[in-house]
Amino acid sequence: MFAPSVYIERRRRLRSEVGSGLILFLGNEQSPINYRDNQYPFRQDSSFLYFFGLDCPGLAAVIDIDQGAECVFGDDLTVDDIIWTGPQPPLAEKCQEAGISETAGLDKLGLVLERAVGRARQIHILPQYRPENVLKIQQLLAMPPAAIQDHVSESLIKAVVAQRSVKSDDEIAQIESALEMSYAMQTTAMKISKPGVYEREVAAAMEQIVLARAGRLSFPTIFSIHGETLHNHHHGNMMKAGDIAVNDSGAETPLGYASDITRTIPVGGEFSQRQKEIYAIVLEAQNKAIDAAKPDIEFRNVHRLASEVLVSGLKDLGLVKGDAAEAVEAGVHTLFFQCGLGHMMGLDVHDMEGLGEDYVGYTDTIKRNPEFGWRSLRLGKALEPGFVITVEPGIYFIPELIDRWKAEQKNAQYINYDAVEKYSDFGGVRIEDDILVTETGCRILGKPIPRTIDDVEAMSSSA
Ligand code: GLY
Ligand code: MN
Ligand code: MN
């Protein structure tokens, strides 16, 4: 945990921004795999971690803004529990580390909320993404599950997003510690991705790296020679000479902070000429996007800029024709780059997505564009110092999409379909780094992971 003063100050600011009423936070429960006692590794809710730092299941907290009171609710372990799970410090002792002096058993939570409901006091809640917490709210606030979404507190969401979006030095140090694990994961993957090796062997080697460093994966690893499938979690292919593998993976520190890095690896150590050409375009798009990222620029415009770089590169290869800016305006880039350029990152790899993507990435005036491709851009609003975001352009040749567009002759004035079809077996290239927006620009976080063609080839051909 951070120092108690960190959590005290975060909650003070939250109280002052939300203004009045009660704030109810639900921590997460253990999640069964196939029966109650066989569980997925426990992951605390990120907002609960942010404001209370307590990383154990079965907790809830209430902040009474008007009374200036804060209480964490939870039950201490019984001897029966201790026999199976071992001893734990009492809740009251753990709460001191978060600067909380008031604790109570879970049976008191219902009474506190019932009293508040009886007095028609406002109870602020966040959107819920776990069914067991939906059921708890149903019970605690006597509200049918379908009504919960209408009852979530916009002022609480906005206050949480405003605080969590700007990372402190302590948080940046955590993210850089996750990135140290990413460095080891990515460079190991480059070294062991040889012909005859299965994708799952590389995925396993990367998971071993995080487990051995007291971390865990920040999301299920994407490691695939079919990088054209954006979130490909299948690891069953044996790699061959000439393949390229997209390695989109990340680590999470013991305090819950994420990294999210993608490299595209030539299996056996060398890219073909055709692979180099596509890789160089994606790298240029990433470099231009990183150069452009600074306070006040709207990220949707950085996405547009990266899309234009991708389209002009593809034009040089003869796949696209016409003016690059006009082609992007017409949506031509989305045949090759179907997703967004990046997202916020912090305690969640897609930070705060559970609170509602539009609260995190858009504003009352900067709205998400519903068009194909653009609608997958999670972050469109202006950047601010302290934001940590990913920059992850890519080129993906998806045969089914190419066939569909060709059949419709979609944007045919800009697309040379005969040339594009020759790339149907290409796969995909993605390059992703995590950056911190500073007062004047941005910096790439973490120790540099090989990114240029020469550096990736050198690392991939080393033993
Ligand atoms: N790891 C998924 C992503 O890059 O957003
Ligand atoms: Mn990623
Ligand atoms: Mn990402």
Side-chain angles (χ1 to χ4, degrees), residues 330-358:
V332 168
H333 60 292
T334 66
L335 178 59
F336 312 98
F337 180 42
Q338 302 81 9
C339 53
L341 181 66
H343 50 84
M344 294 258 202
M345 195 190 73
L347 278 167
D348 307 302
V349 64
H350 288 183
D351 213 19
M352 302 170 280
E353 196 163 304
L355 303 179
E357 273 180 50
D358 285 355

Short mmCIF file of all heavy atoms in Angstrom, two decimals, residues 330-358:
data_model
loop_
_atom_site.label_atom_id
_atom_site.label_comp_id
_atom_site.label_asym_id
_atom_site.label_seq_id
_atom_site.Cartn_x
_atom_site.Cartn_y
_atom_site.Cartn_z
N ALA A 330 -12.95 9.67 -45.49
CA ALA A 330 -13.93 8.71 -46.03
C ALA A 330 -13.91 7.39 -45.25
O ALA A 330 -14.73 6.51 -45.50
CB ALA A 330 -13.62 8.46 -47.51
N GLY A 331 -12.96 7.22 -44.31
CA GLY A 331 -12.92 5.99 -43.50
C GLY A 331 -12.08 4.88 -44.10
O GLY A 331 -12.15 3.73 -43.65
N VAL A 332 -11.25 5.21 -45.10
CA VAL A 332 -10.44 4.17 -45.78
C VAL A 332 -9.50 3.45 -44.81
O VAL A 332 -9.31 2.23 -44.91
CB VAL A 332 -9.64 4.84 -46.93
CG1 VAL A 332 -8.59 3.89 -47.49
CG2 VAL A 332 -10.59 5.31 -48.02
N HIS A 333 -8.95 4.20 -43.85
CA HIS A 333 -7.98 3.59 -42.91
C HIS A 333 -8.61 2.44 -42.14
O HIS A 333 -7.91 1.54 -41.68
CB HIS A 333 -7.46 4.65 -41.93
CG HIS A 333 -8.51 5.29 -41.09
ND1 HIS A 333 -9.48 6.12 -41.61
CD2 HIS A 333 -8.78 5.19 -39.76
CE1 HIS A 333 -10.28 6.52 -40.64
NE2 HIS A 333 -9.89 5.97 -39.51
N THR A 334 -9.93 2.45 -41.98
CA THR A 334 -10.55 1.42 -41.13
C THR A 334 -10.56 0.04 -41.79
O THR A 334 -10.86 -0.95 -41.12
CB THR A 334 -11.98 1.81 -40.71
OG1 THR A 334 -12.82 1.83 -41.85
CG2 THR A 334 -12.00 3.16 -40.02
N LEU A 335 -10.21 -0.03 -43.07
CA LEU A 335 -10.02 -1.36 -43.66
C LEU A 335 -8.78 -2.03 -43.06
O LEU A 335 -8.70 -3.25 -42.99
CB LEU A 335 -9.89 -1.24 -45.19
CG LEU A 335 -9.65 -2.56 -45.95
CD1 LEU A 335 -10.79 -3.57 -45.73
CD2 LEU A 335 -9.49 -2.31 -47.46
N PHE A 336 -7.83 -1.20 -42.63
CA PHE A 336 -6.55 -1.71 -42.14
C PHE A 336 -6.36 -1.50 -40.63
O PHE A 336 -5.57 -2.18 -40.00
CB PHE A 336 -5.40 -1.00 -42.88
CG PHE A 336 -5.59 -0.98 -44.37
CD1 PHE A 336 -6.12 0.15 -45.01
CD2 PHE A 336 -5.27 -2.09 -45.14
CE1 PHE A 336 -6.30 0.17 -46.38
CE2 PHE A 336 -5.46 -2.08 -46.51
CZ PHE A 336 -5.99 -0.95 -47.14
N PHE A 337 -7.03 -0.49 -40.09
CA PHE A 337 -6.84 -0.10 -38.69
C PHE A 337 -8.25 0.09 -38.12
O PHE A 337 -8.83 1.16 -38.22
CB PHE A 337 -6.02 1.21 -38.67
CG PHE A 337 -5.72 1.76 -37.31
CD1 PHE A 337 -5.33 0.95 -36.26
CD2 PHE A 337 -5.79 3.15 -37.08
CE1 PHE A 337 -5.04 1.49 -35.01
CE2 PHE A 337 -5.48 3.68 -35.85
CZ PHE A 337 -5.12 2.85 -34.81
N GLN A 338 -8.76 -1.03 -37.58
CA GLN A 338 -10.18 -1.07 -37.25
C GLN A 338 -10.45 -0.61 -35.82
O GLN A 338 -11.60 -0.56 -35.38
CB GLN A 338 -10.71 -2.51 -37.41
CG GLN A 338 -10.53 -3.10 -38.81
CD GLN A 338 -9.12 -3.66 -39.05
OE1 GLN A 338 -8.31 -3.76 -38.13
NE2 GLN A 338 -8.84 -4.02 -40.29
N CYS A 339 -9.39 -0.31 -35.07
CA CYS A 339 -9.58 -0.04 -33.63
C CYS A 339 -9.07 1.36 -33.31
O CYS A 339 -8.77 2.13 -34.19
CB CYS A 339 -8.84 -1.09 -32.82
SG CYS A 339 -7.12 -1.22 -33.28
N GLY A 340 -8.96 1.65 -32.03
CA GLY A 340 -8.53 2.98 -31.62
C GLY A 340 -7.03 3.04 -31.42
O GLY A 340 -6.36 2.02 -31.23
N LEU A 341 -6.49 4.27 -31.42
CA LEU A 341 -5.05 4.46 -31.27
C LEU A 341 -4.58 4.21 -29.84
O LEU A 341 -3.41 3.90 -29.62
CB LEU A 341 -4.67 5.88 -31.69
CG LEU A 341 -3.18 6.23 -31.62
CD1 LEU A 341 -2.39 5.41 -32.65
CD2 LEU A 341 -2.96 7.73 -31.86
N GLY A 342 -5.49 4.33 -28.86
CA GLY A 342 -5.02 4.12 -27.49
C GLY A 342 -6.11 4.35 -26.47
O GLY A 342 -7.25 4.67 -26.81
N HIS A 343 -5.71 4.19 -25.22
CA HIS A 343 -6.65 4.29 -24.11
C HIS A 343 -5.89 4.70 -22.87
O HIS A 343 -4.66 4.57 -22.81
CB HIS A 343 -7.35 2.93 -23.90
CG HIS A 343 -6.38 1.77 -23.81
ND1 HIS A 343 -5.75 1.41 -22.64
CD2 HIS A 343 -5.90 0.92 -24.78
CE1 HIS A 343 -4.95 0.37 -22.88
NE2 HIS A 343 -5.01 0.06 -24.17
N MET A 344 -6.60 5.13 -21.86
CA MET A 344 -5.98 5.42 -20.56
C MET A 344 -5.51 4.12 -19.92
O MET A 344 -6.13 3.06 -20.14
CB MET A 344 -7.02 6.02 -19.63
CG MET A 344 -7.50 7.36 -20.07
SD MET A 344 -6.68 8.61 -19.07
CE MET A 344 -7.87 9.92 -19.28
N MET A 345 -4.50 4.21 -19.10
CA MET A 345 -4.01 3.02 -18.39
C MET A 345 -3.60 3.40 -16.97
O MET A 345 -3.08 4.49 -16.74
CB MET A 345 -2.81 2.45 -19.14
CG MET A 345 -2.45 1.04 -18.73
SD MET A 345 -0.87 0.56 -19.44
CE MET A 345 0.23 1.52 -18.42
N GLY A 346 -3.85 2.51 -16.03
CA GLY A 346 -3.50 2.78 -14.64
C GLY A 346 -3.75 1.54 -13.81
O GLY A 346 -3.12 0.50 -14.02
N LEU A 347 -4.70 1.64 -12.89
CA LEU A 347 -5.06 0.45 -12.10
C LEU A 347 -5.77 -0.58 -12.97
O LEU A 347 -5.77 -1.76 -12.64
CB LEU A 347 -5.95 0.85 -10.92
CG LEU A 347 -5.21 1.39 -9.70
CD1 LEU A 347 -6.17 2.05 -8.74
CD2 LEU A 347 -4.42 0.29 -9.00
N ASP A 348 -6.43 -0.13 -14.01
CA ASP A 348 -6.99 -1.05 -15.00
C ASP A 348 -6.20 -0.87 -16.28
O ASP A 348 -5.78 0.24 -16.61
CB ASP A 348 -8.46 -0.72 -15.33
CG ASP A 348 -9.31 -0.64 -14.07
OD1 ASP A 348 -9.37 -1.64 -13.32
OD2 ASP A 348 -9.92 0.41 -13.85
N VAL A 349 -6.04 -1.96 -17.02
CA VAL A 349 -5.29 -1.81 -18.28
C VAL A 349 -6.05 -0.88 -19.23
O VAL A 349 -5.44 -0.03 -19.89
CB VAL A 349 -4.95 -3.18 -18.89
CG1 VAL A 349 -6.17 -3.97 -19.29
CG2 VAL A 349 -4.02 -3.00 -20.07
N HIS A 350 -7.36 -1.02 -19.31
CA HIS A 350 -8.19 0.02 -19.95
C HIS A 350 -8.78 0.79 -18.77
O HIS A 350 -9.81 0.41 -18.21
CB HIS A 350 -9.32 -0.59 -20.78
CG HIS A 350 -8.85 -1.23 -22.05
ND1 HIS A 350 -9.72 -1.79 -22.96
CD2 HIS A 350 -7.61 -1.40 -22.58
CE1 HIS A 350 -9.03 -2.28 -23.97
NE2 HIS A 350 -7.75 -2.05 -23.77
N ASP A 351 -8.11 1.87 -18.41
CA ASP A 351 -8.36 2.44 -17.09
C ASP A 351 -9.80 2.96 -16.97
O ASP A 351 -10.28 3.70 -17.84
CB ASP A 351 -7.37 3.59 -16.83
CG ASP A 351 -7.01 3.70 -15.35
OD1 ASP A 351 -7.22 2.72 -14.61
OD2 ASP A 351 -6.53 4.77 -14.95
N MET A 352 -10.44 2.52 -15.89
CA MET A 352 -11.76 3.02 -15.49
C MET A 352 -12.87 2.65 -16.47
O MET A 352 -13.96 3.21 -16.41
CB MET A 352 -11.73 4.54 -15.28
CG MET A 352 -10.72 4.96 -14.25
SD MET A 352 -10.47 6.74 -14.19
CE MET A 352 -9.39 7.02 -15.56
N GLU A 353 -12.59 1.70 -17.38
CA GLU A 353 -13.60 1.35 -18.38
C GLU A 353 -14.90 0.87 -17.70
O GLU A 353 -15.98 1.07 -18.23
CB GLU A 353 -13.03 0.27 -19.31
CG GLU A 353 -13.82 0.10 -20.57
CD GLU A 353 -13.01 -0.64 -21.63
OE1 GLU A 353 -11.90 -0.19 -21.97
OE2 GLU A 353 -13.50 -1.67 -22.11
N GLY A 354 -14.77 0.27 -16.53
CA GLY A 354 -15.95 -0.19 -15.81
C GLY A 354 -16.85 0.95 -15.33
O GLY A 354 -18.01 0.73 -14.96
N LEU A 355 -16.33 2.18 -15.35
CA LEU A 355 -17.16 3.33 -14.93
C LEU A 355 -17.91 3.92 -16.12
O LEU A 355 -18.73 4.82 -15.94
CB LEU A 355 -16.28 4.42 -14.30
CG LEU A 355 -15.45 3.97 -13.09
CD1 LEU A 355 -14.61 5.13 -12.56
CD2 LEU A 355 -16.36 3.44 -12.00
N GLY A 356 -17.59 3.42 -17.32
CA GLY A 356 -18.24 3.95 -18.53
C GLY A 356 -17.20 4.61 -19.40
O GLY A 356 -16.63 5.64 -19.02
N GLU A 357 -16.95 4.02 -20.57
CA GLU A 357 -15.88 4.53 -21.45
C GLU A 357 -16.05 5.99 -21.80
O GLU A 357 -15.08 6.72 -21.91
CB GLU A 357 -15.88 3.74 -22.76
CG GLU A 357 -15.07 2.48 -22.73
CD GLU A 357 -15.13 1.77 -24.06
OE1 GLU A 357 -14.90 2.41 -25.11
OE2 GLU A 357 -15.44 0.59 -24.05
N ASP A 358 -17.30 6.41 -21.97
CA ASP A 358 -17.48 7.79 -22.43
C ASP A 358 -17.16 8.81 -21.33
O ASP A 358 -16.77 9.94 -21.62
CB ASP A 358 -18.89 8.00 -22.98
CG ASP A 358 -19.03 7.36 -24.37
OD1 ASP A 358 -18.01 6.86 -24.89
OD2 ASP A 358 -20.15 7.37 -24.92
#
